[in-house]
Amino acid sequence: FLGAFDSAGVCCATVYALDPLVVLKDTDPPVFRWLGSLVRRRDGIALFAASTTDGGSGIDSDSIRAFVDDTPAIASYDPDTGKINVRTIKPLPYGNHRLRLEAKDRLGNTGHSEIARALLK
């Protein structure tokens, strides 16, 4: 199978064997599901978790970005389970905060989710 897609998304190709062929188009962005609540360790670092799925090409740990109140946070991703664990870089004060996750799959589809959570004593 040799071919290419033109600007209209049509595949022009020559098929040299009669094998089953399926062309899949991935237009689905990564989707996030928030897990648990925002918690704080003794040193003030805040932690939260989410899971993500992508309907096609997949994502990797380098494509996920996390933010707490527009400040970057450190995200780790387990591709086997789809779980994302996030921790803040600096101690986080108690109160209401905005948590945001962004990811781009291998085909460039971008997904994001934002949620408000309270960090309680």
Side-chain angles (χ1 to χ4, degrees):
F1 176 79
L2 297 173
F5 288 92
D6 64 15
S7 62
V10 176
C11 181
C12 302
T14 303
V15 177
Y16 294 100
L18 296 176
D19 291 328
L21 175 68
V22 176
V23 177
L24 300 176
K25 183 176 180 182
D26 177 17
T27 58
D28 296 330
V31 176
F32 299 100
R33 186 171 57 95
W34 297 92
L35 306 172
S37 59
L38 182 62
V39 297
R40 182 178 161 141
R41 298 187 321 200
R42 284 187 196 173
D43 60 1
I45 299 298
L47 309 167
F48 65 92
S51 67
T52 185
T53 57
D54 183 55
S57 61
I59 56 176
D60 56 34
S61 58
D62 293 334
S63 65
I64 297 175
R65 297 176 47 189
F67 301 89
V68 177
D69 299 329
D70 297 324
T71 301
I74 299 169
S76 62
Y77 173 65
D78 181 357
D80 295 329
T81 62
K83 187 171 181 184
I84 304 167
N85 291 305
V86 180
R87 69 178 176 88
T88 58
I89 297 170
K90 297 179 181 177
L92 191 65
Y94 292 105
N96 294 318
H97 299 281
R98 285 185 347 268
L99 314 177
R100 188 172 82 233
L101 289 171
E102 299 174 351
K104 184 184 288 189
D105 68 15
R106 291 183 182 105
L107 290 180
N109 301 314
T110 303
H112 54 85
S113 181
E114 186 171 315
I115 193 168
R117 288 280 198 253
L119 184 57
L120 305 172
K121 287 185 181 184

